[in-house]
């Protein structure tokens, strides 16, 4: 059995009251954090870890299971355990909806993908008229019907978020917004063309564990939470013109908010 490279992992502390499998998990976690194991790289095999630490295979499996539950690693049957990629996109909230991007024909998601050097895709697209939930209705000023636009966003083929935009039906019906592809700049560009110049956005954010359907839709690994964001867009007359309900994989984004000093 080949020995691990010197300095890659340390040794166990027999005087510690911390469980052995937790000590092993601590060392692997530190090695990942310090870049000794790069993103998407394979961790040492169970046999290598058993030999290095002098413990049972079950102890090693418990350590790896702990890291997997934290979302740091993923297991591929027959191949091994791999370091999960870090967040690929830095989401700059103060810039992503800037008008200049819409004027360039870019939606917020494309702006973020370009900045990350990633390939953006949208699938699972559904556009339909429906009755809003009480919460969505209240946010939009109590319309009886809304246009709902559902879609999943992917970066380099990896699902990163699922979003539903709700717009008052009297505003969106029989416009390009009701088409699967609303055109360059997305629905915000079309809203402004319809005379609803955007003034500001309000966002509510919380973190939680995903539902089974969200795990499936976003292909989430065990232990990975989601960021649930509800954004309301207002025009210059103070009307709420869209509510976007978004669920994002927490390991896909770094949320970066710039706040004024006063």
């Amino acid at each position: 059995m080949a020995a691990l490279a010197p300095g890659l992992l340390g040794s166990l502390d027999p005087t510690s009251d911390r469980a052995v499998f937790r000590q092993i998990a601590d060392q692997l976690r530190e090695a990942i954090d310090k870049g000794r194991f790069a993103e998407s790289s394979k961790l040492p095999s169970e046999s290598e870890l058993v030999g290095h630490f002098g413990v049972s295979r079950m102890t090693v499996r418990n350590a790896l299971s702990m890291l997997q539950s934290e979302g740091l690693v993923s297991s591929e049957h027959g191949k091994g355990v791999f370091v999960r990629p870090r967040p690929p996109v830095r989401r700059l909230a103060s810039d992503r909806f800037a008008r200049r991007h819409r004027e360039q024909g870019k939606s917020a998601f494309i702006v973020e993908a370009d900045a990350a050097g990633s390939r953006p895709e949208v699938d699972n697209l559904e556009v339909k008229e429906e009755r809003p939930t009480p919460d969505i209705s209240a946010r939009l000023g109590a319309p009886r019907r809304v246009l709902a636009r559902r879609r999943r966003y992917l970066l380099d083929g990896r699902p990163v978020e699922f979003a539903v935009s709700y717009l008052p039906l009297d505003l969106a019906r029989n416009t390009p917004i009701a088409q699967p592809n609303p055109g360059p700049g997305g629905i915000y560009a079309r809203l402004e063309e319809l005379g609803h110049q955007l003034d500001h956005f309000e966002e509510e954010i919380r973190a939680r564990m995903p539902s089974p359907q969200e795990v499936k839709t976003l292909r989430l690994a065990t232990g990975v939470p989601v960021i649930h964001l509800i954004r309301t867009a207002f025009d210059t007359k103070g009307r709420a013109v869209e509510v976007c309900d978004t669920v994002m994989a927490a390991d896909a984004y770094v949320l970066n908010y710039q706040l004024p000093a006063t």
Side-chain angles (χ1 to χ4, degrees):
M1 182 186 305
L4 298 183
L8 195 61
L9 295 171
S11 57
L12 300 175
D13 180 1
T15 66
S16 175
D17 59 359
R18 188 164 175 77
V20 170
F21 81 93
R22 294 184 184 277
Q23 289 190 52
I24 296 173
D26 292 343
Q27 294 210 24
L28 289 168
R29 189 185 303 106
E30 180 182 11
I32 292 171
D33 289 341
K34 291 186 175 180
R36 297 177 200 152
F37 297 115
E39 294 182 20
S40 301
S41 67
K42 183 179 178 181
L43 292 184
S45 68
E46 289 184 3
S47 296
E48 289 173 321
L49 293 172
V50 165
H52 178 79
F53 289 111
V55 296
S56 69
R57 188 173 295 270
M58 183 56 66
T59 298
V60 166
R61 288 178 179 173
N62 287 339
L64 294 174
S65 178
M66 185 176 182
L67 296 181
Q68 189 169 352
S69 69
E70 296 172 4
L72 288 177
V73 301
S74 59
S75 177
E76 297 185 21
H77 184 69
K79 295 183 179 180
V81 178
F82 297 82
V83 179
R84 300 193 75 240
R86 301 299 176 92
V89 177
R90 186 168 296 277
R91 188 183 180 102
L92 183 59
S94 61
D95 180 74
R96 64 193 304 265
F97 295 121
R99 182 167 288 107
R100 69 178 186 279
H101 299 315
R102 295 194 291 277
E103 292 173 347
Q104 294 169 0
K106 294 183 178 181
S107 67
F109 184 67
I110 291 177
V111 170
E112 292 170 343
D114 287 349
S118 297
R119 173 174 51 87
E121 296 177 70
V122 179
D123 70 2
N124 289 5
L125 183 65
E126 179 188 57
V127 183
K128 60 183 294 190
E129 298 178 11
E130 61 188 41
R131 287 187 178 275
T133 65
D135 177 66
I136 296 299
S137 178
R139 293 173 187 269
L140 286 175
R144 296 182 61 184
R145 303 279 291 178
V146 295
L147 182 76
R149 296 181 55 89
R150 292 177 172 83
R151 66 274 189 200
R152 183 175 66 167
Y153 294 100
L154 303 90
L155 290 174
D156 297 325
R158 175 191 175 193
V160 293
E161 66 179 87
F162 184 81
V164 186
S165 285
Y166 300 95
L167 301 99
L169 192 56
D170 69 293
L171 187 156
R173 175 183 272 171
N174 298 325
T175 74
I177 296 172
Q179 300 301 314
N181 183 355
I187 62 174
Y188 289 158
R190 302 293 81 75
L191 282 169
E192 295 200 317
E193 290 172 356
L194 291 169
H196 296 276
Q197 185 174 23
L198 298 178
D199 179 73
H200 68 281
F201 302 88
E202 294 180 359
E203 292 189 340
E204 302 172 20
I205 303 174
R206 66 188 179 99
R208 58 172 171 79
M209 296 309 295
S211 68
Q213 183 58 46
E214 289 165 348
V215 170
K216 181 179 179 180
T217 299
L218 296 175
R219 301 178 197 163
L220 298 172
T222 302
V224 174
V226 293
I227 298 168
H228 187 189
L229 184 150
I230 299 179
R231 180 181 66 252
T232 305
F234 295 87
D235 66 14
T236 53
K237 296 180 181 179
R239 181 182 182 182
V241 294
E242 183 236 16
V243 172
C244 187
D245 190 332
T246 304
V247 176
M248 299 178 284
D251 63 345
Y253 285 102
V254 173
L255 299 183
N256 187 344
Y257 281 79
Q258 293 184 357
L259 301 176
T262 58

